[in-house]
Amino acid sequence: MIKDITFGQYFPAKSIIHRLDPRIKLVLSLMFIIFIFVAQNAVSLAFIGTLTLLFVLISRVPVSLFLKNIKAILFVIILTSVLNALYVTTGNVLLEFWIIKITADGVKRALFMSARIIILIISSSLLTYTTTPTELTDAIERLLKPLRFIGLGEAVHVMAMMITIALRFIPTLIEETDKIMSAQKARGADLESGTLFERIKALIPILVPLLISSVRRAYDLAEAMECRCYNGGSGRQRMKQLKLAGRDYLSLAVLVVCMSAIIAFNIIF
Amino acid sequence: MATLSVENLTYVYGEKSPFQKTAIEDVTFSAKSGEIIGVIGHTGSGKSTLVQHFNGLLKANSGKVLLDGADIWENPKEIRKIRFKIGMVFQYPEYQLFEETVYKDIAFGPTNMGLSAEDINKRVLDTAQMLGITAEMLEKSPFDLSGGEKRRVAIAGVMAMQPEIIVFDEPTAGLDPAGRDIVLEKIKEYRDRTGALVFIVSHSMEDMARVADKLLVMNSGHLSMFDTVKKVFSNPQKLKKIGLNVPQVTKVFSALKEKGIPVDENVFTVNDAVSYLLSFLKGGKNND
Ligand SMILES: Nc1ncnc2c1ncn2[C@@H]1O[C@H](COP(=O)(O)OP(=O)(O)OP(=O)(O)O)[C@@H](O)[C@H]1O
Ligand SMILES: [Mg+2]
């Protein structure tokens, strides 16, 4: 069913990572991702991998959810590994036939790349699993606030508002689509078989009502916002004030220490 | 003649997700042609979920739906045929209208059934006439009609398929009193004409008292009662406990009886109340 499409994969749980300030979380995640590529040798990569696992455990999000995401891009991982293994031809030759030459360096490089991609996926999923889409856009809006000095303040606000509204209405739209699909199926609409052309035509009974109700909803929303005196970003205050707490500074400190460790590992080993 | 049996039906939304929710659990009952069955229960008790199993829009986690003794999922490829026999009118069905004209929209179902053009035409015109949809309206865009008219068109779209079993999910929600009366009357008329088995999901005890033969009472996903209107409404304590009530007039009669006036408590509609009271006042004894 259409509801099975997970979007904005927030997973509600009680953990310190869920409670972190979204701005900090966003910045830390970006830093973390950069350091996945800063890590140059096996030791620093193993270190950053261990950290990732630790964060996953702390987040209390089921490990299976992360595995699902990795499975989704397994093909990309395999492809990158194979290409890397074939491309690098220096070092001890492990296997050679026809035009294919696999070397120790190549295998090492392939493993390295896969590990990086996997860590990358896990850490970015960690951000989306523990932060609601609204929190994320909120964080983006605030982090981009300095743009107002070059006259882009309103633009940032409008973009953020649009993203928030869009995200807010995705579940509603999915639900609506589901309902209309059920109603048309009950009238014998055949959505599952037929030629491509027939299938496209079969979508009309679903798309027309969906479009109409979306437009109606948009007008309703606009009206409701106006009734509550919405007139853009200037002078707007927030109900949910973000305030950095002890845990935010703590996590920032932890990350800085870890990052220094990675640089150190890079130099030492 | 058609018989619909439901056996040990259980359905869970979002299984194995953090939002898992058992919407109905172990529901068993059986109903046959000619009956109008009112499905009542508090909000979220599983009424809509239950009825969407009848024509295979939802597939139960366990349990079966039998149409004339045969499992509707016996041959999953044939589920569309089942949907031609078991019609379903959703809540606010006017939001599913999509064609350019009312005529075409009513014809959508019959066309999907693969009927001949002649048959389709006949069915559309017959159904439109029965539901008071004029020839002029048939040529209009469905989006130019009033809410009540749209509702009738949407109902016509399902009735034109002439299903042996037809389910209405809150067919009178959001209509004015006259609109409600028309819709209920037409549903009854459909049953009388075709002898179909009709399910009506509703929150109005008054409506149910007027049209239903039997009531199926849901409570938190469980089947709480399945009996005649009279039996169900003669148990106000039990109904109260699960967030429901008896019709207003019935309450009045109970109060009268408590005051020592020897009236019958089993009066469920205003019409019945009027004729009962008239004969009661005239003869001094009830004619029940
Ligand atoms: N699509 C869905 N996804 C998850 N849970 C759902 C979904 N639809 C319904 N539910 C849940 O299942 C339960 C039964 O819902 P259902 O819609 O069948 O109730 P209902 O008796 O029709 O209520 P109402 O009188 O408000 O229409 C509710 O608790 C509801 O929250
Ligand atoms: Mg419902």
Side-chain angles (χ1 to χ4, degrees), chain A residues 20 50 58 61 64 75 158 169 181 186 200-201 249 256 269:
Chain A
L20 282 184
T50 317
I58 295 175
V61 177
S64 60
F75 175 73
V158 169
F169 278 97
M181 271 169 77
I200 292 172
K201 231 180 109 193
Y249 293 113
V256 168
F269 297 97

Side-chain angles (χ1 to χ4, degrees), chain A residues 173-204:
Chain A
L173 222 64
I174 290 178
E175 197 178 303
E176 185 98 10
T177 313
D178 224 34
K179 246 195 226 152
I180 295 172
M181 271 169 77
S182 294
Q184 306 301 28
K185 273 197 221 159
R187 292 209 275 168
D190 186 5
L191 306 172
E192 273 117 35
S193 61
T195 63
L196 185 66
F197 181 70
E198 281 168 342
R199 282 189 196 209
I200 292 172
K201 231 180 109 193
L203 286 179
I204 292 174

Side-chain angles (χ1 to χ4, degrees), chain A residues 33-51:
Chain A
I33 285 167
I34 292 171
F35 269 80
I36 294 173
F37 292 92
V38 170
Q40 285 302 339
N41 55 35
V43 177
S44 44
L45 200 67
F47 178 68
I48 208 164
T50 317
L51 276 181

Side-chain angles (χ1 to χ4, degrees), chain B residues 76-137:
Chain B
K77 290 219 173 84
E78 299 289 293
I79 196 72
R80 266 182 83 213
K81 293 228 173 78
I82 297 291
R83 294 189 183 138
F84 297 144
K85 288 189 195 161
I86 307 180
M88 166 96 63
V89 180
F90 280 84
Q91 193 170 358
Y92 297 108
E94 51 273 28
Y95 294 137
Q96 80 203 19
L97 301 174
F98 70 98
E99 278 286 13
E100 296 153 63
T101 66
V102 169
Y103 181 97
K104 281 191 192 167
D105 210 285
I106 299 177
F108 180 65
T111 309
N112 285 331
M113 294 172 78
L115 300 175
S116 69
E118 213 176 310
D119 264 355
I120 295 173
N121 186 45
K122 187 171 174 331
R123 284 192 181 199
V124 173
L125 296 182
D126 284 356
T127 317
Q129 198 202 2
M130 183 174 114
L131 285 168
I133 298 165
T134 60
E136 183 199 350
M137 268 163 79

Side-chain angles (χ1 to χ4, degrees), chain B residues 195-209:
Chain B
L197 165 59
V198 178
F199 289 89
I200 306 177
V201 177
S202 177
H203 282 291
S204 163
M205 303 302 138
E206 277 71 25
D207 288 356
M208 290 298 94

Side-chain angles (χ1 to χ4, degrees), chain A residues 209-246:
Chain A
L210 194 62
L211 198 71
I212 289 173
S213 75
S214 303
V215 171
R216 187 170 43 88
R217 220 186 279 284
Y219 275 116
D220 286 353
L221 181 69
E223 219 158 87
M225 283 169 80
E226 266 174 23
C227 287
R228 296 200 214 166
C229 305
Y230 176 80
N231 54 5
S234 56
R236 237 167 105 73
Q237 288 163 343
R238 291 171 180 280
M239 184 170 92
K240 241 172 136 180
Q241 292 292 340
L242 288 183
K243 225 174 156 186
L244 296 184

Side-chain angles (χ1 to χ4, degrees), chain A residues 9 23 45 50 93 222 261:
Chain A
Q9 357 173 294
R23 290 171 296 179
L45 200 67
T50 317
V93 175

